[in-house]
Amino acid sequence: MDLWYSENNDAEGYTMTDATTIRMTIEEFRALPESNRFEELIDGELIVSPTPKHPHQKQVFVAAKVIETLADGGEVVIAPMDVYLDEDIVEPDVFWVSGANSKCKLGSDGYWYGAPDLVVEVLSPSTAGRDRGKKFELYQKYGVREYWLIDTDAKFIEVYVLAGEKFVRRGLFTKDTFVSSVLSGKPVDVKAILNS
């Protein structure tokens, strides 16, 4: 296995590792011991990220609660939880599976397979590039029906909806509400999510 490091400089000039990546196969990934670390396998690279900070996790919890109140059934899941998209394995911050008709199914091994109906990623400096880049592409490719990007610093929710095979940007919301196409057309209170 090849080891790669992604480095950033913090405000005081110290270098810190934001994520460590290791080249590996899906079989090697499946052989790893169960862990609470954030580990994803994207394009054959194991990406291990540091645990999120409190504001990030608080936002994840609030988003999950709001989705759960709006969803007509199904299941809301928060990270860390593997979602298998063929040879890629991602850990969305929050995802919702509508039920029996969803593309995403819970496997007998306790992991999820296929595209969830709704995925939410809370942006952080070490993950924003992946959330807007490779993970965006994977969610689009495998058919996630709605994708939210939450920026806790800039206080917005950016919403994408799948139209055919491509995500279409629904809007960038800072206040009021937007209508979720996957949550039965119910309005989502942006302030309830962002002012946590």
Side-chain angles (χ1 to χ4, degrees), residues 2 22 28 57 100 116 126 131 133 142 147 168 174 178 189 194:
D2 299 321
I22 301 170
E28 290 170 320
Q57 287 306 90
S126 64
D131 293 338
Y142 288 96
Y147 183 33
V168 174
T174 58
F178 66 89
D189 185 347
L194 294 178

Side-chain angles (χ1 to χ4, degrees), residues 2-75:
D2 299 321
L3 188 60
W4 302 84
Y5 294 102
S6 171
E7 297 182 341
N8 275 347
N9 291 327
D10 68 8
E12 290 145 356
Y14 296 106
T15 301
M16 62 183 139
T17 302
D18 285 333
T20 301
T21 58
I22 301 170
R23 302 284 312 158
M24 86 173 23
T25 66
I26 195 164
E27 291 78 19
E28 290 170 320
F29 183 90
R30 289 178 190 263
L32 291 173
E34 190 173 309
S35 168
N36 282 331
R37 294 182 303 181
F38 282 76
E39 299 172 335
E40 297 180 300
L41 186 67
I42 299 175
D43 289 337
E45 287 186 349
L46 173 69
I47 302 163
V48 180
S49 300
T51 59
K53 294 180 180 175
H54 177 73
H56 179 280
Q57 287 306 90
K58 185 176 180 184
Q59 189 66 79
V60 166
F61 180 72
V62 169
K65 284 193 325 185
V66 168
I67 292 166
E68 192 167 55
T69 62
L70 296 174
D72 290 328
E75 188 158 356

Side-chain angles (χ1 to χ4, degrees), residues 66 69-70 148 176-180 183-190:
V66 168
T69 62
L70 296 174
W148 302 356
D176 302 321
T177 63
F178 66 89
V179 174
S180 170
L183 297 173
S184 302
K186 293 181 179 175
V188 178
D189 185 347
V190 174

Side-chain angles (χ1 to χ4, degrees), residues 104-125:
C104 192
K105 306 289 184 203
L106 184 60
S108 59
D109 59 359
Y111 297 110
W112 292 89
Y113 292 83
D117 297 279
L118 171 64
V119 168
V120 178
E121 295 286 6
V122 177
L123 301 176
S124 64

Side-chain angles (χ1 to χ4, degrees), residues 89-162:
I89 302 158
V90 293
E91 286 193 12
D93 287 322
V94 181
F95 65 93
W96 175 68
V97 177
S98 62
N101 294 328
S102 179
K103 292 180 183 179
C104 192
K105 306 289 184 203
L106 184 60
S108 59
D109 59 359
Y111 297 110
W112 292 89
Y113 292 83
D117 297 279
L118 171 64
V119 168
V120 178
E121 295 286 6
V122 177
L123 301 176
S124 64
S126 64
T127 64
R130 250 187 341 273
D131 293 338
R132 291 186 173 282
K134 190 58 186 176
K135 288 175 83 172
F136 181 99
E137 294 168 7
L138 287 171
Y139 296 150
Q140 178 177 259
K141 175 182 176 181
Y142 288 96
V144 168
R145 294 169 46 209
E146 193 166 286
Y147 183 33
W148 302 356
L149 293 163
I150 299 177
D151 190 313
T152 56
D153 293 328
K155 296 286 187 189
F156 67 75
I157 302 174
E158 191 170 2
V159 178
Y160 291 87
V161 177
L162 194 66

